[in-house]
Amino acid sequence: MRTEVANSKESSDLKDRLLPGAVSDDRRSTNFSLDSAWALHPRVAVRPERFGALLYSFDTRRLSFLKSRQLLEVVSGLAAAPTARQACDGAGVAEADLPDYTRALASLAAGGTIVPRET
């Protein structure tokens, strides 16, 4: 999946490193917000790798890729953080990179890999 970002080479490189790889186009309609609480879906397994991680959904049989270790830190921190924004802060995501991480998390939410949770 490709998402539009600023035309700079740095933004393009960061986007390519962050966005999950195998998200199909039959996405669920989910309104992702950085200021809401999210968690990894309970039926998604995470396998850390050198490049980031593999995520496998036992419900949809979808395999997704997290293309950075920092995005893995964000996803792993979602359950403990009050909001996705605070999970990003906890993983050390720079303010300038936040739009790219927001798009990556929104993609995971649309695919059902992360789900809203009660606070």
Side-chain angles (χ1 to χ4, degrees):
M1 164 164 155
R2 305 302 287 186
T3 302
E4 294 299 318
V5 294
N7 290 330
S8 75
K9 173 119 174 77
E10 287 180 12
S11 290
S12 178
D13 291 345
L14 180 61
K15 176 188 67 174
D16 289 341
R17 290 195 320 261
L18 293 180
L19 290 176
V23 177
S24 71
D25 290 331
D26 67 337
R27 299 178 165 196
R28 298 176 206 155
S29 176
T30 302
N31 292 324
F32 178 79
S33 169
L34 273 181
D35 298 314
S36 297
W38 294 85
L40 192 65
H41 189 286
R43 301 228 350 116
V44 171
V46 177
R47 186 172 116 183
E49 296 286 346
R50 283 189 335 260
F51 58 82
L54 295 172
L55 303 176
Y56 179 76
S57 171
F58 288 97
D59 285 343
T60 64
R61 295 195 267 179
R62 178 179 294 141
L63 181 66
S64 298
F65 300 89
L66 299 183
K67 296 182 179 181
S68 85
R69 299 287 294 181
Q70 192 170 31
L71 182 56
L72 173 59
E73 284 183 53
V74 171
V75 170
S76 298
L78 287 172
T83 67
R85 184 180 306 278
Q86 288 174 310
C88 289
D89 289 344
V93 175
E95 187 69 29
D97 295 332
L98 205 52
D100 292 318
Y101 280 81
T102 301
R103 280 187 283 279
L105 291 169
S107 179
L108 291 172
T113 303
I114 61 172
V115 293
R117 67 176 168 82
E118 297 294 319
T119 55

